[in-house]
Structure formats: structure tokens, C-alpha cells
Amino acid sequence: MTEELPGEAGPGTGRVRVAVIEDHPLYRRSVERVLEESPDVELGAVVDSVARFHVQKQPAGSVVLLDLGLPGVAGAAAVLEVCELGHHVLVVSAQAESDQVLSAIAAGAKGFLSKDVDVDELLIAIRAVAEGGAYVSAVVAGMIIKDNTERPVQRPEMELSPREEQVLRLVAAGERDIDIARILGIGVRTVRGYLDRIRDKTGERRRPGLVKEAIRRGLVGSPGRKP
């Protein structure tokens, strides 16, 4: 029996199940048309709110393109709610300020694109997220890096070990400590030990800060890169 990859429409199909939660009618229809015309996408629910998404019963493991400025549940709360349904959230939003990006990723989003993204990059990001990776568009990553470089430098950068980079990359992909332990085949206490060392080296104590650090170090956003 062929194992089905996360987000795949079925064994051996090579197609990705994708849903859309977007409240702007014209943009929603444009994205819907792009996905309908993509041969490697199986389009599912296309709705304007998280509440309507619940009703659609989209199969778990789908990639969900999610706007942040939704009616009802919105922002990081919307990301968290959709992630808890077992989906891989790829935020596509006009709200691409540093705080919104970090909050969304900390809530579990696997990727973040601004709404001016082109079709090719959108499809690359969908595939990267479906395959278990993370993706942040160059425009969004540039904003995070700019925000970081404009702050006073308090300490020289300390190099992370390959394992610490793996852990930091998984944090940036929205994984919990217990999930990182499962993915890497190590204990949760070991994961937390790595996180303590990462915090000591980077000076970032909270998860949003670690996400920013991962983006600044280039650990998030490369097409096809997996944790």
C-alpha cells in the first residue's frame, strides 16, 4: 500500500488537496481559478470565513490558503483554529507586517505570502507546505530581516550546530516541542535542551522571536526545503 503524503489527494496521484478561506470576493475567485487550472491541485472548500470552513468538512491534511483579515475568527486565532483541524496553513494576506507574520507562524502557519505574490510562487509554496516544509516569500522575509537589522546589535551572532538549526527550523514551521521530538526521533527533554541553547545563543526567549531568528538566518523560505 502506498503511503499518502500530507496534503496529497490520494496515493500516487501527486495532487495536493487545497482549500481557500478568503473574504474578498474578487481575490477569492482569482485564486480559485488559478487552483482549478493547476494540474497538481485538487481544489476543495472555497469559503469566506473559518465558520463556513467548519461546515465544509475539508479532509484533514489539506493545505489551506488563509487570509488574516476575516470576519469572525481572524488573525492568529484563525490560524490556530484551522491548524487544530489537522490542516497545513499557508497564510496569503495583505497584512504582512512583522508582528502579523510572527504571530501567524507562532500559531502554527507553515508559510506566509503577501497578496502580491505571483502564480508560480503561490504554487511552489503550496507544494513546499504540502511536503512538510515551510515557506516565507522573499518580500515577507525581507521585511523581517529589515526590521531585525534596524535594531541595535547587542551581541555577536553565535553559530548554531546542525541539530540546533533543525530544531529552530521546526519551531519556525509551527511545530510543538512534542512534534519536534517525534520528527527528530529524540526525547522532549532533549528538544527543550536544544531550545535552551538556541535561546542562549540568539538572545530570543519567546517563540515569535525564534521564528524571526530562523527567518533571518535563512532557515525558512527556500522552495522545497524540508525541516
Side-chain angles (χ1 to χ4, degrees):
M1 181 176 179
T2 303
E3 183 178 354
E4 184 175 343
L5 293 174
E8 294 295 335
T13 66
R15 301 181 72 202
V16 182
R17 285 192 300 257
V18 181
V20 180
I21 308 177
E22 163 62 57
D23 71 322
H24 191 286
L26 183 58
Y27 191 82
R28 183 173 66 245
R29 180 56 190 147
S30 297
V31 172
E32 183 178 12
R33 186 178 299 114
V34 166
L35 296 176
E36 285 175 335
E37 294 174 355
S38 177
D40 65 342
V41 168
E42 180 183 290
L43 182 61
V46 180
V47 295
D48 62 0
S49 68
V50 173
R52 291 184 186 275
F53 182 74
H54 274 284
V55 175
Q56 295 296 317
K57 299 189 183 302
Q58 178 75 18
S62 301
V63 176
V64 179
L65 307 186
L66 176 72
D67 186 21
L68 293 182
L70 296 168
V73 180
V79 173
L80 183 61
E81 191 161 324
V82 175
C83 287
E84 288 179 342
L85 294 173
H87 300 296
H88 310 291
V89 173
L90 174 58
V91 173
V92 184
S93 179
Q95 299 179 30
E97 297 299 321
S98 175
D99 289 345
Q100 282 87 8
V101 176
L102 297 175
S103 295
I105 295 178
K110 302 297 185 183
F112 202 112
L113 302 173
S114 59
K115 279 193 172 178
D116 59 0
V117 67
D118 61 32
V119 172
D120 289 341
E121 187 171 10
L122 174 63
L123 295 175
I124 288 171
I126 288 171
R127 174 55 69 179
V129 169
E131 292 178 347
Y135 193 100
V136 176
S137 67
V139 171
V140 174
M143 291 171 60
I144 301 297
I145 293 169
K146 182 175 184 294
D147 178 69
N148 188 78
T149 55
E150 287 178 347
R151 298 185 181 190
V153 177
Q154 297 180 342
R155 64 176 71 195
E157 178 170 302
M158 297 185 69
E159 185 177 349
L160 300 179
S161 71
R163 181 63 99 182
E164 289 166 351
E165 286 189 346
Q166 284 183 307
V167 171
L168 184 57
R169 189 178 293 128
L170 287 164
V171 168
E175 303 291 356
R176 301 170 301 168
D177 293 359
I178 191 171
D179 297 320
I180 295 172
R182 175 182 52 80
I183 291 167
L184 298 181
I186 57 180
V188 175
R189 291 182 65 181
T190 303
V191 170
R192 290 171 180 162
Y194 282 122
L195 285 171
D196 286 342
R197 289 197 288 276
I198 292 168
R199 290 183 176 109
D200 289 342
K201 288 182 177 181
T202 64
E204 299 289 352
R205 311 309 301 179
R206 301 179 61 194
R207 244 171 167 81
L210 293 175
V211 171
K212 179 183 287 190
E213 184 68 16
I215 293 171
R216 191 185 68 78
R217 289 176 180 256
L219 300 177
V220 177
S222 296
R225 171 177 279 175
K226 297 182 182 180

